[in-house]
Amino acid sequence: QKSWLINFNNKNYFQGANKINLIIPVDRYYLIEELSNYRAKKLGLAVPPSKFVNLFVNGKREGVYWQVESFSKDILEKQNIPGDVNLYGSLDFWDAPGSQYLDFVNIYSWKKYSQDSLSGVIDNYSDLKTFLDIVNNPSDEYFYNNIWNILDKENFYSWVAQQYLVTSTHQSGANIRLYFETTRGKFYFIPWDVSMFSTPPALTELNYNAVITRVLKNPEFLHERNAALWKYVGDDKNLEDDLKRYDELDALTRN
């Protein structure tokens, strides 16, 4: 098997999508990524539409694939979020073999999946620059007083909590995705390629990314993050519901 990226004619969308990824399940830990998306929705996070499908090529069945829409304004609009906004992702960099690196300093290390309509023909990165300036300000006091003016706190805590449910830090590297909600003036993270680790990565709280590491250095913010995580895992109904959803996905794909 191999994964596929399929582009459709802009005037002839396929089931409402103009570009889809068909990913071999092993690359997303079989059922785990779809389960993570399910949890993300329960936490109030936006995720790209996804599902498991059978793929046929020229009448021949190629097996089960995980179908997920590619990043564009469409995935936001389908969740009642304005699509004409700056939707960012990091360019892929490698600072050492086997280690992904996320540049939180240079705006040229980022790319857009959709564009803010208010900027017209100007390729405007001012929102991202403001965000990065706050992240890189040497004053902790300035950072603590301003980070929630540019980043939605509830979304941030939910995004971090969701990846902790599978003890992963994978999506906070080069897989990071976030958009700027112009009406609210804040950034929101979108889970993507959460992955899974059997045990927490070494120095999870310390060796993270520039935003998460700096936020969690503040004891008040760390407590709020812990409270958001505990709100989910402390509710036995969530565990029961998650296991039920996992069994449903297993039954759907098994045959």
Side-chain angles (χ1 to χ4, degrees):
Q1 283 185 307
K2 61 182 178 180
S3 295
W4 299 71
L5 170 62
I6 304 177
N7 287 293
F8 298 94
N9 188 300
N10 286 335
K11 296 181 181 179
N12 186 25
Y13 280 29
F14 174 74
Q15 297 180 350
N18 70 336
K19 184 185 295 186
I20 60 172
N21 297 280
L22 296 174
I23 300 175
I24 55 175
V26 66
D27 280 356
R28 290 297 188 269
Y29 286 82
Y30 294 99
L31 306 179
I32 293 300
E33 192 74 10
E34 184 68 10
L35 177 64
S36 289
N37 278 1
Y38 180 73
R39 286 167 161 172
K41 294 174 184 177
K42 291 166 65 176
L43 287 163
L45 298 168
V47 291
S50 62
K51 61 182 178 180
F52 286 103
V53 299
N54 276 305
L55 174 65
F56 291 82
V57 178
N58 296 327
K60 179 183 177 183
R61 182 176 179 273
E62 299 293 332
V64 174
Y65 280 76
W66 187 60
Q67 177 182 309
V68 58
E69 287 192 31
S70 292
F71 277 87
S72 68
K73 71 174 187 176
D74 292 344
I75 69 169
L76 298 177
E77 292 175 345
K78 289 177 180 178
Q79 297 170 85
N80 297 318
I81 300 171
D84 293 322
V85 298
N86 286 333
L87 172 58
Y88 294 101
S90 172
L91 297 174
D92 288 334
F93 290 94
W94 300 86
D95 61 341
S99 176
Q100 285 183 297
Y101 171 65
L102 177 61
D103 188 345
F104 264 108
V105 177
N106 193 338
I107 62 171
Y108 297 106
S109 298
W110 297 74
K111 60 183 177 182
K112 287 183 181 179
Y113 294 94
S114 68
Q115 169 76 17
D116 175 11
S117 62
L118 299 178
S119 300
V121 296
I122 302 174
D123 195 11
N124 185 11
Y125 282 72
S126 61
D127 47 14
L128 180 62
K129 185 178 187 307
T130 299
F131 179 45
L132 298 183
D133 286 346
I134 294 173
V135 172
N136 293 289
N137 190 287
S139 168
D140 285 338
E141 181 180 5
Y142 180 87
F143 175 81
Y144 297 148
N145 288 335
N146 288 276
I147 186 60
W148 304 130
N149 293 331
I150 192 69
L151 181 62
D152 185 84
K153 180 190 287 190
E154 182 178 350
N155 168 269
F156 174 82
Y157 289 146
S158 294
W159 177 70
V160 173
Q162 184 245 10
Q163 63 187 20
Y164 267 51
L165 294 175
V166 284
T167 61
S168 176
T169 62
H170 193 251
Q171 71 168 349
S172 56
N175 291 314
I176 203 165
R177 302 287 188 274
L178 72 167
Y179 67 92
F180 187 74
E181 173 63 87
T182 52
T183 58
R184 299 178 182 177
K186 293 185 178 182
F187 275 103
Y188 292 78
F189 286 102
I190 300 176
W192 171 248
D193 199 0
V194 181
S195 192
M196 179 182 71
F197 297 113
S198 58
T199 56
L203 302 177
T204 295
E205 301 284 24
L206 300 177
N207 186 19
Y208 221 150
N209 73 23
V211 176
I212 300 176
T213 295
R214 199 162 190 192
V215 167
L216 298 185
K217 284 182 178 180
N218 183 307
E220 178 183 349
F221 298 162
L222 177 61
H223 173 74
E224 291 175 344
R225 190 287 311 270
N226 291 342
L229 180 58
W230 177 249
K231 182 178 180 181
Y232 191 95
V233 301
D235 186 347
D236 290 339
K237 292 182 180 179
N238 278 325
L239 175 59
E240 181 181 348
D241 182 62
D242 289 348
L243 291 174
K244 179 183 177 182
R245 179 56 180 160
Y246 187 91
D247 288 341
E248 290 172 349
L249 293 172
D250 178 59
L252 174 69
T253 57
R254 178 175 292 274
N255 289 338

